[in-house]
Amino acid sequence: MPGGRPQSSHESVIADIGDRALRYTQRLEQVGVAGTGTLDDLDTHIEALLDRPELLIRGRQSNKLRFGVLYERAPNAAPGDEAWRTPLIAGLIAAEVEFRGPLRLSPAQNTLLAARYETLATALTRADLPAHAVRAWSGAVELHRRAKNAGAEDRCALALARARRRTAAPGWRRGVSIVSDLLCGYGYQPFRLLGWVVVQIIVCTALALLWAGNKPWSEVVYLGVLTFLNPLDPANAVGMAPQARILFAAEAWLGAVSMSVFFALLVRRWFRL
């Protein structure tokens, strides 16, 4: 700009990111999709930025992030404004360039960038850009893995799985994904499965009471609870309706599968702590 202060190399990179984010956002709005089909274009912009020689210059504050100004603008994007998603896309591009850049990040930078990725992912989800949120959550998971922070890695991996589900088309695969989330949080929340175990026992016991026949209710409740953990002899259902035997057989199978899955997930969690 004539008469203005010349841009530093760092400022020129920031300006380039902002310009590319604006062009990408304009195309995104023209296409009218949530962004799944345009991520290749986003990668093209990122790859072009990675070739800039300015990224080889290490800043004076080695434990700070390069593009803090872009990260701070991103969560303030307001729906309704023209190209309002541009700050979010600029923040995502900046994080990807910083993550995949030529200079190795310090442990402190890894932690800071992981937090920025999480903030961006949440904002991108609110902005109805689930495919871009998947990209941000993936970066957060990888950075927490590098830092060997298993708790944060699992938390972000759970959010990543949920973001991927939002990008899936309606159908049986999405239905299975929802069930997996409800049962055990995609394996990252194994204790949720115990709640479903209680529900299964209550439902099976209630059905057994309906088909109790001439058996005392206390004995039926005992059988309904015990069968979940240990298959019983068919003779235990003598005096009950014929459906009771099928019920107890199904309950035994449910118990075997549920407890096997629970302990497998629990052991996995123990070994990651």
Side-chain angles (χ1 to χ4, degrees):
M1 183 176 179
R5 182 176 63 87
Q7 284 186 328
S8 67
S9 59
H10 180 66
E11 290 172 337
S12 68
V13 174
I14 291 177
D16 194 4
I17 291 174
D19 179 63
R20 290 177 181 276
L22 178 59
R23 284 185 281 146
Y24 178 82
T25 305
Q26 289 173 339
R27 181 180 183 281
L28 195 65
E29 293 174 350
Q30 290 172 357
V31 173
V33 297
T36 305
T38 58
L39 285 176
D40 288 342
D41 291 341
L42 183 69
D43 286 328
T44 299
H45 287 297
I46 294 170
E47 293 297 333
L49 287 163
L50 289 174
D51 289 335
R52 294 194 56 145
E54 294 94 330
L55 296 180
L56 291 169
I57 302 174
R58 189 178 294 277
R60 293 181 181 179
Q61 295 178 316
S62 60
N63 286 331
K64 300 292 184 181
L65 297 177
R66 285 176 177 266
F67 307 117
V69 62
L70 295 177
Y71 302 136
E72 291 169 4
R73 293 173 188 166
N76 299 323
D81 297 339
E82 185 178 357
W84 65 275
R85 294 185 177 92
T86 299
L88 291 174
I89 298 300
L92 180 59
I93 292 175
E96 290 287 278
V97 169
E98 195 144 18
F99 182 32
R100 295 157 54 182
L103 295 180
R104 184 184 181 89
L105 297 177
S106 68
Q109 287 175 317
N110 281 335
T111 301
L112 290 173
L113 188 56
R116 294 298 190 180
Y117 264 127
E118 291 187 46
T119 302
L120 284 167
T122 302
L124 288 164
T125 301
R126 289 199 304 266
D128 195 26
L129 293 172
H132 297 76
V134 167
R135 180 69 63 87
W137 284 121
S138 297
V141 169
E142 179 58 32
L143 287 167
H144 285 310
R145 183 179 295 121
R146 290 184 182 182
K148 298 182 179 180
N149 188 340
E153 181 185 345
D154 284 354
R155 172 171 50 79
C156 293
L158 174 58
L160 171 60
R162 288 171 174 167
R164 282 176 174 158
R165 186 183 73 218
R166 295 187 187 98
T167 66
W172 69 270
R173 291 182 183 275
R174 190 169 187 175
V176 170
S177 180
I178 292 173
V179 170
S180 176
D181 190 9
L182 290 174
L183 288 178
C184 57
Y186 293 102
Y188 298 106
Q189 296 176 330
F191 289 102
R192 180 181 292 188
L193 195 59
L194 290 181
W196 289 105
V197 165
V198 173
V199 171
Q200 291 173 37
I201 292 175
I202 291 174
V203 170
C204 290
T205 302
L207 290 174
L209 287 170
L210 289 177
W211 300 326
N214 57 14
K215 270 191 180 295
W217 69 267
S218 57
E219 186 176 349
V220 173
V221 171
Y222 172 79
L223 293 175
V225 174
L226 189 62
T227 303
F228 191 84
L229 299 174
N230 182 37
L232 300 181
D233 190 277
N236 292 109
V238 171
M240 301 180 67
Q243 302 95 311
R245 292 190 177 186
I246 300 175
L247 171 68
F248 288 143
E251 184 182 7
W253 276 101
L254 282 174
V257 172
S258 298
M259 298 313 296
S260 296
V261 172
F262 170 71
F263 284 115
L265 295 177
L266 190 61
V267 168
R268 173 188 173 275
R269 186 176 180 86
W270 282 344
F271 276 96
R272 286 175 57 79
L273 294 179

